[in-house]
Amino acid sequence: MSGRQDWSSRASGPLHGSVRVPGDKSVSHRALMLAAIAEGESRIRGFLEGEDTRATAAVLAQLSVRIETPSPGERVVHGVGLHGLRGTAQVLDCGNAGTGMRLLAGLLAGQAFDCTLIGDASLSKRPMRRVTDPLALMGARIDTHEGLPPLHVHGGQPLHGIRYELPVASAQVKSALLLAGLYAAGETEIIEPHPTRDYTERMLAAFGWPIAFAPGWAKLEGGHALHAADVEVPADFSSAAFFLVAASIVPGSALRLPAVGLNPRRTGLLQALRLMGADIAVENEREAGGEPVGDLVVRHAPLHGVELPEALVPDMIDEFPALFIAAAVAGGRTTIRGAAELRVKESDRIATMASGLRALGAVVEETPDGALIHGGRLGGGTVESHLDHRIAMSFAVAGLVAAAPVRIHDCAHVATSFPGFLELANGCGFALRGAG
């Protein structure tokens, strides 16, 4: 991680052009992990060159997986098979990657060796019991620091399948349990209160593991094998989200975002913005690596406040910071409920977005599981990112329509999910600069 970096974002003219955002972070993490424990050589294209995904690659390399980088955005993974990982006395540093740490906890629970997963200051504050508690029901032994990282995973624990109803819908928890289920005796069945993204299920099937799944449900049996596969990683919808909102709120804008992943468990923001009046078309729909993709074409349109349907919440949990910006400049009031999960992301995203928007003159009322956002004009000011990459990028978008410049503290973490954001944003018309 580079040192402190502040940004200054100011009003711009219309945004134009084609913006190719980086590969999907969730797919990149999962492709690395499954390729590592598959038999044979897998090739991953469109891989996200972010700090989070590189941290996962570095952890797997410490566990004796050979990973080559023939060119940027490409990885060749020489799989070691289900039981081929080798332990190390070194700690395994996940950096800022919550997805990496939680999924690796499941993957490593069934290994023969002990290991310790650590993270940076931000990740070290994120709750892990939601993963370690159900893994313990499967027979895993994982020590935490009062429910927080580091995680010490004890090897040599015989795992058994369970039927588990998730108390809170979470693709990360579901994925960790499914990965542990590969090593478990019997069946592992996961039931969710609301369907979440099914990247892990789709990818397990692509790597040849027998798995049954439907929205909100997945079941597999331990004891099979994964076989090498080639994975085409779609462009990350969460990264596209900032440009969808930016072009919607800046008058005269028209942007094309090619080859964006359109997994239905991921595109809640697309539906939410359309409910608010956004003009977003999907063109050239197709499939890549088992995932639906398409080109998104977004044009400026006046937005209005809405009562966000709670059914959309699980399908847009990473996109809420961008939605808060759209709501803050829309006509009328937007009501968000059922989003308590936002309080335990890289930051408490409800509190952080509410505080930042108030600093810019917006009227925002926090609730335990959401917010009431009164749309209107934004002024300039200084906001804190709280080391949260999505908060930083969201306020960069806010600056495009603010009455005066918006200064955003601590933006270096953007590289965890979106390397090159500053250059790409300015290339289509943002007025975004490093500050100090």
Side-chain angles (χ1 to χ4, degrees), residues 36-39 63 79-87 107 110-113 180 182-184 209 222-226:
I37 57 171
E39 296 172 0
L63 300 173
V80 296
L82 206 62
H83 300 284
L85 298 178
R86 295 290 174 259
L107 180 63
Q111 304 300 327
F113 51 83
L182 304 182
Y183 295 89
W209 196 281
H224 298 281
L226 295 165

Side-chain angles (χ1 to χ4, degrees), residues 107-411:
L107 180 63
L108 295 172
Q111 304 300 327
F113 51 83
D114 288 16
C115 58
T116 301
L117 295 165
I118 66 167
D120 67 5
S122 170
L123 181 53
S124 297
K125 296 174 185 172
R126 296 181 66 182
M128 292 293 151
R129 282 202 179 108
R130 59 177 56 192
V131 171
T132 59
D133 285 355
L135 285 173
L137 296 177
M138 299 178 72
R141 281 184 60 212
I142 303 177
D143 302 329
T144 67
H145 179 68
E146 297 179 349
L148 303 174
L151 306 183
H152 181 70
V153 185
H154 294 267
Q157 308 301 309
L159 304 184
H160 54 84
I162 58 170
R163 183 180 187 273
Y164 187 70
E165 296 188 19
L166 286 173
V168 177
S170 167
Q172 291 181 1
V173 177
K174 172 181 65 174
S175 298
L177 299 180
L178 290 173
L179 290 173
L182 304 182
Y183 295 89
E187 284 186 345
T188 298
E189 183 177 7
I190 313 297
I191 299 99
E192 302 178 285
H194 306 287
T196 63
R197 58 190 70 169
D198 57 1
Y199 293 138
T200 302
E201 297 94 308
R202 288 170 180 257
M203 199 171 290
L204 281 166
F207 277 83
W209 196 281
I211 180 170
F213 62 97
W217 172 82
K219 183 168 71 172
L220 56 74
E221 189 177 40
H224 298 281
L226 295 165
H227 302 285
D230 289 347
V231 179
E232 193 76 38
V233 179
D236 194 324
F237 184 87
S238 291
S239 296
F242 305 104
F243 294 95
L244 294 178
V245 171
S248 293
I249 65 177
V250 176
S253 296
L255 288 179
R256 174 178 289 272
L257 304 164
V260 176
L262 298 176
N263 186 301
R265 298 278 69 84
R266 190 71 182 276
T267 51
L269 179 74
L270 182 59
Q271 298 176 64
L273 289 174
R274 283 174 168 168
L275 288 176
M276 298 174 77
D279 178 359
I280 305 172
V282 180
E283 299 180 356
N284 193 21
E285 291 186 73
R286 57 207 185 276
E287 224 177 64
E291 289 290 332
V293 301
D295 300 345
L296 298 178
V297 179
V298 53
R299 296 178 176 83
H300 168 257
L303 302 183
H304 54 81
V306 295
E307 185 151 327
L308 185 72
E310 284 193 42
L312 292 182
V313 169
D315 299 339
M316 57 181 295
I317 208 73
D318 281 335
E319 289 73 50
F320 269 99
L323 178 75
F324 269 65
I325 302 301
V329 299
R333 186 179 79 172
T334 294
T335 304
I336 297 166
R337 294 190 183 91
E341 171 82 357
L342 291 173
R343 293 204 180 272
V344 292
K345 299 299 284 183
E346 281 86 334
S347 66
D348 177 340
R349 285 184 173 157
I350 294 173
T352 303
M353 288 304 300
S355 170
L357 285 170
R358 288 191 202 108
L360 304 182
V363 178
V364 182
E365 304 167 49
E366 275 188 65
T367 64
D369 67 343
L372 306 178
I373 304 168
H374 301 265
R377 292 273 294 161
L378 293 177
T382 298
V383 298
E384 300 291 338
S385 75
H386 290 272
L387 303 179
D388 188 324
H389 49 128
R390 300 196 196 282
I391 301 288
M393 289 183 278
S394 295
F395 282 112
V397 172
L400 300 177
V401 292
V406 174
R407 187 182 181 107
I408 310 144
H409 284 162
D410 292 322
C411 300

